[in-house]
């Protein structure tokens, strides 16, 4: 029988196998294809399927894996058949082909009946745990993941142990046992950063853990792990699926940190990369694009992005409902949020929906509805004890108290919320809460403190580029007119502090900027209002009601 060979006479299959071990996916793919198909073993076909996956040839990868499964069955290899059938179940569930996925899962279970204590059976238990989590059977998911961890440790199967630990962590987070779940996610990511895992499972855990941290609003943890694993991300072949998935996470991290231009660029690039790989993979990238554009005030662009995300299989809420609210379609927003809440049990997603419901209900004057949503958020925050949940709950309860005229209650809740958002390093959430706090102070008759909070919010909104919030804050400050002399909101804040007698060092400490930056602001202020001394600048501030 003719053997496939390279032009230099080396064995094509042997070279392909070596390339596979070295993660040289293109070489492995070319080498196996250069060989005589009749000489490819079941492991060779499985390796070719892996290579095709890394080259983003996903339909071909699935077809090759099915051939590998058939070859394992024909060879009577129950272990190989179990593992490949379980992987095929995952692939078909991801491709939104649940019937085919369920069929391969049942086949994997039948093959594993005679080999319950094997790493392949453990891998199957991990897949079953993932399916149970998606189906809402969280207790079952934890039990199956524990079984997979036990089997994996017994067989020193590092990939299996890490995957099962992260699967259990995700199930615990979904069940509201967030602290326990996050601890397991950290443990799984430690294996990623240590380089203990194979490339595919490294990518799966990396994307899932960073995504879970972001969903929880734990930007600090997400950023730490993202930075720690950045070397792995940068080493990936550019045409594989994972770079685009990593880019979605980077877009969200940048958005939460307030770098919206960077976030938008990353999200757009991710949509382009992932559409070419698998359209459904691009759905979260479109959702991120929608979130960024909504905050920037591009409501038409945000709506288009959320609708595209929904077409591709992602849930667009609460983002799309908040777009409707910004378009003054209050009833449509409330209806969409009620429908989403009626089926959502995942705590982080439910928390975001409840926060949006408070906003929409208050816009409609439905204070009782807003209060009920705020109360549920408070209960969730008490159960999880996570700072992001506590900040969201305090913001919601403060908003409701303000609407009810309970100024004291609003000030207490919103002051706590603003401090919590600041500690979490979430600038947009901090600014929106300071805006509410400013309104509460004004309602309580403290004009000076209220305007200071509003000015602080305005500075943050201008720096972020949040055009709708800039306009709303300026209106609260006495109209939409620009500050006098062409001053920016930050320059007005510096000028006000100069007029109060603060030194450059005092101003730097209060505004959390460097003295050099304060000096630069003063140079700009002096030039714009045509003065040459602090005394003259102070006089200008009083003349124009800026002090």
């Amino acid at each position: 029988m003719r053997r496939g060979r390279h032009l230099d006479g080396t064995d094509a299959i042997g070279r392909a196998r070596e390339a596979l071990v070295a993660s040289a996916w293109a070489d492995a793919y070319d080498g196996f294809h250069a060989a005589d198909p009749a000489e490819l073993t079941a492991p060779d076909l499985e390796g070719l399927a892996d290579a095709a996956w890394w080259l983003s040839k996903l339909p071909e990868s699935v077809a090759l894996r099915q051939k590998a499964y058939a070859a394992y069955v024909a060879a009577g290899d129950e272990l190989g058949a179990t593992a490949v059938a379980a992987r095929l179940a995952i692939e078909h569930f991801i491709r939104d082909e649940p019937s085919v996925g369920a069929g391969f899962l049942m086949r994997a279970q039948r093959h594993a009946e005679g080999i319950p204590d094997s790493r392949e059976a453990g891998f199957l238990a991990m897949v079953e745990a993932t399916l149970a989590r998606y189906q809402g059977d969280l207790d079952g998911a934890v039990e199956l993941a524990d079984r997979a961890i036990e089997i994996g440790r017994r067989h020193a199967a590092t990939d299996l142990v890490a995957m099962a630990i992260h699967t259990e962590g995700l199930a615990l987070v979904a069940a509201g046992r967030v602290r326990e779940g996050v601890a397991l996610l950290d443990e799984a990511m430690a294996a990623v950063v240590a380089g203990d895992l194979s490339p595919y499972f490294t990518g799966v855990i990396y994307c899932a853990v960073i995504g879970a941290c972001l969903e929880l609003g734990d930007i600090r943890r997400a950023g730490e792990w993202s930075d720690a694993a950045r070397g792995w991300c940068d080493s990936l072949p550019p045409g594989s699926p994972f770079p685009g998935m990593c880019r979605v996470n980077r877009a969200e991290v940048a958005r939460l940190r307030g770098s919206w231009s960077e976030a938008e660029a990353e999200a757009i690039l991710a949509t382009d990369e992932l559409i070419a790989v698998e359209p459904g993979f691009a759905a979260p990238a479109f959702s991120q694009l929608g979130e960024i554009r909504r905050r920037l005030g591009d409501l038409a662009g945000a709506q288009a992005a959320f609708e595209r995300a929904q077409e591709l299989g992602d849930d667009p809420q609460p983002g799309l409902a908040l777009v409707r609210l910004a378009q003054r379609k209050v009833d449509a927003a409330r209806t969409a949020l009620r429908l989403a809440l009626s089926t959502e049990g995942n705590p982080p997603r439910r928390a975001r929906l409840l926060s949006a419901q408070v906003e929409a209900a208050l816009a409609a004057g439905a204070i009782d509805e807003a209060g009920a949503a705020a109360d549920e958020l408070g209960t969730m925050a008490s159960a999880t004890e996570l700072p992001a949940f506590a900040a969201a709950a305090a913001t919601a309860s403060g908003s409701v108290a303000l609407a009810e005229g309970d100024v004291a209650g609003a000030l207490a809740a919103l002051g706590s919320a603003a401090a919590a958002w600041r500690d979490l390093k979430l600038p947009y959430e901090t600014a929106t809460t300071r805006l509410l706090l400013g309104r509460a102070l004004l309602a309580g008759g403290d004009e000076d403190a209220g305007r200071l909070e509003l000015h602080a919010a305005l500075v943050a909104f201008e720096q972020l580029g949040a055009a709708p919030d800039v306009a709303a804050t300026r209106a609260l400050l006495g109209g939409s007119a620009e500050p006098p002399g062409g001053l920016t909101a930050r320059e007005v804040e510096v000028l006000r502090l100069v007029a109060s007698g603060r030194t450059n060092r005092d101003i730097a400490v209060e505004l959390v900027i460097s003295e050099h930056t304060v000096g630069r602001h003063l140079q700009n202020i002096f030039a714009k209002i045509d003065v040459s001394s602090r005394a003259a600048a102070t006089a200008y501030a009083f003349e124009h009601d800026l002090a």
Side-chain angles (χ1 to χ4, degrees):
M1 184 179 293
R2 182 181 60 83
R3 294 181 60 84
R5 297 181 180 278
H6 290 288
L7 293 178
D8 62 2
T10 58
D11 183 346
I13 295 179
R15 291 288 297 274
R17 290 169 179 166
E18 291 172 2
L20 201 62
V21 171
S23 300
W25 309 113
D27 290 342
Y29 181 85
D30 291 340
F32 281 128
H33 272 293
D36 184 342
E39 295 196 16
L40 296 180
T41 65
D44 291 337
L45 289 167
E46 188 178 2
L48 179 53
D50 289 340
W53 190 92
W54 281 98
L55 296 174
S56 294
K57 303 175 185 292
L58 302 194
E60 182 182 356
S61 174
V62 171
L64 287 165
R65 210 171 298 280
Q66 289 172 346
K67 289 182 179 179
Y69 168 73
Y72 278 122
V73 172
D77 186 341
E78 297 291 343
L79 293 173
T82 299
V84 175
R87 174 68 183 270
L88 280 167
I90 293 175
E91 298 285 357
H92 286 289
F93 283 129
I94 290 173
R95 290 164 60 88
D96 197 23
E97 297 167 350
S99 297
V100 182
F104 274 105
L105 184 61
M106 289 187 67
R107 288 197 168 202
Q109 290 166 338
R110 290 187 185 280
H111 289 300
E113 285 177 356
I115 47 169
D117 187 20
S118 64
R119 66 177 63 197
E120 289 77 10
F123 181 72
L124 173 59
M126 185 273 298
V127 174
E128 291 172 329
T130 300
L131 181 60
R133 177 170 66 86
Y134 278 113
Q135 292 175 335
D137 180 10
L138 301 177
D139 290 339
V142 170
E143 183 179 344
L144 285 161
D146 278 336
R147 181 182 168 217
I149 294 169
E150 181 184 344
I151 293 174
R153 285 175 174 159
R154 193 156 52 244
H155 290 273
T158 309
D159 282 345
L160 172 57
V161 171
M163 279 292 294
I165 286 173
H166 115 282
T167 300
E168 182 170 354
L170 293 174
L172 290 172
V173 168
R177 295 161 62 183
V178 178
R179 288 189 181 278
E180 297 172 70
V182 167
L184 290 177
L185 296 180
D186 284 345
E187 183 180 352
M189 273 301 286
V192 167
V193 173
D196 293 341
L197 310 182
S198 61
Y200 177 77
F201 293 114
T202 293
V204 170
I205 293 173
Y206 171 84
C207 289
V209 172
I210 300 297
C213 293
L214 291 170
E215 195 171 64
L216 292 168
D218 195 343
I219 182 65
R220 184 172 299 167
R221 178 177 265 105
E224 287 177 6
W225 282 126
S226 184
D227 292 343
R230 195 177 187 92
W232 174 81
C233 284
D234 292 341
S235 72
L236 294 172
S240 70
F242 278 131
M245 296 176 185
C246 292
R247 205 177 296 283
V248 175
N249 287 334
R250 288 182 187 176
E252 188 167 1
V253 169
R255 172 176 67 79
L256 291 170
R257 285 175 169 169
S259 303
W260 290 356
S261 295
E262 176 190 345
E264 186 174 27
E266 290 278 24
I268 290 172
L269 191 52
T271 62
D272 293 340
E273 290 174 343
L274 293 172
I275 279 285
V277 173
E278 175 71 31
F281 290 178
F286 279 106
S287 288
Q288 280 305 311
L289 193 56
E291 291 291 350
I292 297 159
R293 288 177 172 171
R294 178 177 68 80
R295 288 166 172 76
L296 290 168
D298 179 8
L299 298 183
Q303 179 176 328
F306 282 127
E307 289 176 348
R308 184 67 172 130
Q310 186 172 28
E311 289 173 11
L312 295 172
D314 202 26
D315 184 352
Q317 303 301 355
L320 186 54
L322 291 172
V323 170
R324 299 293 187 221
L325 188 61
Q327 294 168 334
R328 301 187 180 180
K329 299 175 181 178
V330 179
D331 289 341
R334 292 173 68 197
T335 299
L337 290 168
R338 279 197 296 267
L339 287 172
L341 281 163
S342 69
T343 58
E344 184 56 75
N346 177 274
R349 296 193 190 103
R350 188 166 184 84
R352 290 201 301 274
L353 290 168
L354 288 167
S355 293
Q357 188 179 39
V358 170
E359 190 176 343
L362 290 177
I367 297 178
D368 288 345
E369 180 183 328
D375 288 345
E376 184 178 343
L377 260 177
T379 301
M380 292 175 64
S382 298
T384 60
E385 298 182 354
L386 275 181
F389 278 48
T395 303
S397 64
S399 300
V400 173
L402 181 60
E404 292 174 331
D406 177 8
V407 174
L411 290 174
L414 294 171
S416 172
W421 289 127
R422 192 181 299 115
D423 289 343
L424 288 166
K425 301 188 185 302
L426 297 174
Y428 181 72
E429 288 74 10
T430 301
T432 54
T433 308
R434 295 191 78 172
L435 173 62
L436 290 167
L437 183 58
R439 286 176 51 200
L441 287 164
L442 292 176
D446 193 340
E447 183 80 14
D448 290 343
R451 291 181 68 82
L452 282 173
E453 287 297 330
L454 293 177
H455 270 289
L458 179 59
V459 169
F461 288 140
E462 286 185 335
Q463 290 175 337
L464 289 165
D469 298 288
V470 167
T473 310
R474 283 182 178 161
L476 285 170
L477 283 166
S480 58
E482 296 285 340
L487 298 173
T488 67
R490 175 61 94 184
E491 289 165 352
V492 168
E493 196 169 15
V494 171
L495 179 56
R496 179 179 293 105
L497 293 171
V498 168
S500 71
R502 306 289 213 287
T503 66
N504 283 14
R505 176 171 291 183
D506 293 336
I507 296 170
V509 171
E510 185 152 343
L511 299 182
V512 198
I513 57 178
S514 69
E515 286 189 62
H516 174 76
T517 301
V518 173
R520 190 174 70 249
H521 282 314
L522 282 175
Q523 289 177 358
N524 293 337
I525 291 167
F526 287 2
K528 288 181 178 180
I529 65 177
D530 194 24
V531 300
S532 58
S533 69
R534 297 173 82 94
T538 298
Y540 181 95
F542 279 99
E543 288 169 9
H544 293 83
D545 296 323
L546 299 179

